Amino acid sequence: MASWLYSLGTLAARKRWWFIAAWLAVMVAVGGSVAAFGGTLTNSFTIPGTPAQQVLDRLKTDLPESSGGLGTIVFRTEDGRPFSDHHQAAVEKIAGQLADHAAVKSATDPFELQSALDDAPEQIAVGEAELKQARQQLADGRAALDAAKARLEPARIQLQTARAQAAQLEAAGQPAVAEQLRAQLRPAAAQLAAAEAELARQERKLKDGQAGYDDGVAELASAKTRMQSSEGVRFVSAAGDVAFMQVSFEQSMMEVSKEDRAAVQHIAEDGLVPGLQAEFSKDIVEDISQLFGAAEIIGIAVAAAVLVIMLGTLVAAGLPLLMAVVGVGVGVGGTIALSGVVEMSSISPVLALMLGLAVGIDYSLFIVNRHRTQLLAGMPLAESIGRATGTSGNAVLFAGLTVIIALAALAVPGIPFLTVLGLAGAATVAVAVLVALTLTPALLAVIGSRILSRRAWAKASARAAAAAGDGGASGTAAPKRSWGRAITRHPWLALLVGVALLGAMALPAAELRLGLPDGSSEPADSTAYRAYTQLGENFGEGINGPLIVVADLPAGLDAAGQDSTLLKLSRELRGMEHVTAAIPVGTSEDGTTAALQVVPDGGPAAGSTEELVHALRAEAGALSAAAGVESVAVTGQPAMQIDVSDRLAEAMPVYLAIVIGLSLVLLLLVFRSILVPLLATAGFLLSLGASFGAVVAIYQWGWLAGIFEVHDPGPILSFLPMILIGVLFGLAMDYQMFLVSGMRESYAHGEDARAAVVSGFNHGARVVTAAAVIMVSVFAGFIFSHLTMVRPIGFALALGVLLDAFVVRMTLIPAAMHLFGKAAWWMPKWLDRILPDVDVEGAKLAANAPQAPEPVLAHQ
């Protein structure tokens, strides 16, 4: 591999303008693809097949009006006084205009709903009184009708008797007498018929009255159901200065376009009148189109400063930065271009941006640093470029592969958005590796000797002259002090202090609780955060994330039976711990499926809400039996977030096992040692645990909250652990390769095992230190990102790299390898024979290369 990369680097130097033109063409093509095919990113995270997602999919079919996305607009008076009639009229108008928008299913008028809630007891009392009066009127009417029937009965009998007599007379041969009798009966018969007709009319009227009374009873029962199930729910605050409008969308929030969200905001803002304010929930205002903010720029500036200090010239410092920009442009651009055809979360391009910047700078730096060292040693320019690509470039290739494989392994759990996230990051790192191995050599050829400052050339000339003057005696000067030498003098102390530090930092990780971001995690000055807090303060935290309970009703129930059943279910739900209200919101056309909105007493990310979701599922059978329904299931945004977090927590041990297994196999190939991979993996677990612990302490417990702008501590982003495992593993193995491969090379060249630890450490410590500082600076820039979801990721990665590079790789590993001595490089002979020799440091290339000329003594 080293020989092939040497040839690639030499070709890139010789055909530099072809390589530069090719990368320019790639960047133009990617830019065009972004403009033509780029889609919409989302902050909604779903996993097909989870219980909540299954219920939601069923709702879309059985009860579509309850399955759309839901956003909230919070209205408030500027002076804190109750809403005026003018304010209420403006809100009513806004609700009507929103309801007319094509993307909106409905928009509630909070004042109308609150008025209905406030008037419900009085209206129910009036209805009960009216029904009581109607019931009495029906009873009186029935009695009067029965009395009238009783009064008509003698006349009916008398008429029937007279008609019978007339028939007998006619049969006896006296038709004239019979006809005379019938003539006398006709007025009475007509009078009786009229009375019977009036009785029939009165009976029909009484029947209609009874039907109306029955409808009134059913309507009153329904009103009572609504009132009882809505107890404790308000749409206008008790002080009358805050109200909220629920905007129901035709599609789920993940499918609502950015344009439709913006239209909702414009309609509401345009409808405001003086003294009236509006705040919008996170679902409505979520804008994730901007990936880069001021904090990230500061991180890049720090990385640039480190490069200038290390390399001593703006040209040399600018090259790794340029390589990172090219890699990020192609990698992140390609990711965004694919968002038009692949459902992609906003975190995918942001993670790709983080990694692309960090590894893009570092990988190019490793090659540039090797090239500069070789030039100062007198190696010709073209040969130096090829040799740097074949040696440091070989290490870059294997280091990049570790990161790529670790990120691509995020696809193993089978979680779609995590798969896209991992592949986007892996692809960007792969681009960074390609840029480092092809474009960096080409630009090094263009820059030539200017990669080194005049001062560096002068120092090299002075050292060469001094060495020539004293016959090489200066080369036998006393060994200089170094961190590696200090560590190996006191290895047990270094081990104990390092392990104790990382172990203590890892303790909070035992309390790790996973979740997904809600409005409480938004910036404190954002409208989403103000909407969230105003809702919580005035209407209870649960209104920010209601649950949806779906019930299968028995077949054949009429409206009254449905209301009665839903009231029973509502009472059972309200009796559960952590439930504030349970309100029926809809029933399917066939009457077999009903949905209730359950308002928890805690916010969407609260531990009590998670307990409630699990309790609803555990007690579904008991709830169904008590309420007389067939089955009960739960969905809603909080339930879906809990399912995602649970699924990710289940997948994390599997993913960690894959990463650790990969670590052992890869390091076994690279270092041809049994112990070195075990030490590397143990160190990785220590730095990983310490990073988890610090994240929990700050973002979940609220330690140092003021410094890190954590205004509402809560659960940790559910996919942060897997991202941290994958990325930190890859970067940890980068530093392991660059440091320990130098120790292995020194040992392989005949140096004592313990001495090789120090010499190998000194060989790579400077560039690894600079690379780690750059990596930490880039990641730290995201700690104060405008995207709050990214902040804990940036902190975890920055701290993880800091601890792994300086505590694990540059302290614990040298100490442990010094203690083990020669045993650190033990490998069974049979295993050594069957393992391929990957030659990461390009030792074979160096052995077969022609002898370098004498050092250059002047700036070329």
Side-chain angles (χ1 to χ4, degrees), residues 719-769:
F719 48 86
L720 184 151
M722 297 187 73
I723 291 176
L724 182 59
I725 290 170
V727 175
L728 186 57
F729 160 72
L731 300 180
M733 296 308 105
D734 282 2
Y735 301 136
Q736 180 79 8
M737 286 185 184
F738 283 109
L739 277 175
V740 182
S741 59
M743 301 176 191
R744 179 177 179 271
E745 187 175 358
S746 297
Y747 176 72
H749 290 167
E751 197 169 351
D752 176 76
R754 287 186 168 88
V757 171
V758 177
S759 60
F761 181 93
N762 292 339
H763 174 73
R766 184 169 179 265
V767 68
V768 168
T769 298

Side-chain angles (χ1 to χ4, degrees), residues 432-459:
V433 171
L434 288 175
V435 168
L437 295 178
T438 58
L439 187 56
T440 299
L443 287 174
L444 285 175
V446 173
I447 295 171
S449 60
R450 288 172 296 172
I451 198 69
L452 287 161
S453 65
R454 293 181 182 274
R455 185 178 179 184
W457 284 111
K459 284 184 177 180

Side-chain angles (χ1 to χ4, degrees), residues 242-263:
V242 180
F244 72 92
M245 175 187 297
Q246 289 187 322
V247 182
S248 177
F249 292 88
E250 295 287 350
Q251 298 175 306
S252 67
M253 293 310 300
M254 185 173 59
E255 300 169 310
V256 178
S257 68
K258 182 174 66 175
E259 291 74 20
D260 287 334
R261 296 172 196 256

Side-chain angles (χ1 to χ4, degrees), residues 591-611:
T592 60
T593 304
L596 297 91
Q597 190 178 76
V598 176
V599 181
D601 60 11
S608 60
T609 303
E610 184 175 353
E611 292 174 10

Side-chain angles (χ1 to χ4, degrees), residues 572-615:
E572 293 295 328
L573 291 169
R574 289 171 62 84
M576 295 184 67
E577 190 176 6
H578 304 308
V579 173
T580 297
I583 312 163
V585 292
T587 305
S588 62
E589 291 184 4
D590 60 4
T592 60
T593 304
L596 297 91
Q597 190 178 76
V598 176
V599 181
D601 60 11
S608 60
T609 303
E610 184 175 353
E611 292 174 10
L612 175 59
V613 170
H614 292 311

Side-chain angles (χ1 to χ4, degrees), residues 363 366-367 370 387-397 437 738 840-841:
Y363 291 167
F366 291 138
I367 295 175
R370 184 67 171 253
R387 188 84 66 86
T389 308
T391 53
S392 290
N394 200 12
V396 163
L397 177 61
L437 295 178
F738 283 109
V840 172
E841 277 297 302

Side-chain angles (χ1 to χ4, degrees), residues 129-220:
E130 291 176 349
L131 285 176
K132 182 178 180 181
Q133 183 179 358
R135 186 167 57 250
Q136 185 60 48
Q137 289 175 350
L138 285 172
D140 293 343
R142 175 62 63 187
L145 186 63
D146 291 342
K149 286 181 178 180
R151 288 194 300 272
L152 286 179
E153 189 63 24
R156 186 180 294 109
I157 294 172
Q158 186 177 3
L159 182 61
Q160 290 175 351
T161 301
R163 284 174 174 170
Q165 290 176 353
Q168 290 175 357
L169 289 172
E170 188 171 14
Q174 301 180 16
V177 178
E179 182 57 31
Q180 185 179 4
L181 181 57
R182 288 192 179 97
Q184 294 174 353
L185 292 177
R186 286 192 182 97
Q191 186 176 4
L192 181 62
E196 287 180 337
E198 178 62 21
L199 282 177
R201 189 182 69 80
Q202 292 293 334
E203 192 160 14
R204 287 195 300 273
K205 182 178 179 181
L206 189 64
K207 187 176 180 180
D208 291 342
Q210 183 65 50
Y213 173 79
D214 293 339
D215 290 342
V217 170
E219 186 175 345
L220 183 63

Side-chain angles (χ1 to χ4, degrees), residues 22 40 63 75 228 343 345 358 590 701 738 833 841 860:
T40 302
L63 201 58
F75 295 95
Q228 292 173 8
E343 184 180 297
S345 65
D590 60 4
W701 292 356
F738 283 109
R833 285 194 300 269
E841 277 297 302
Q860 298 175 350

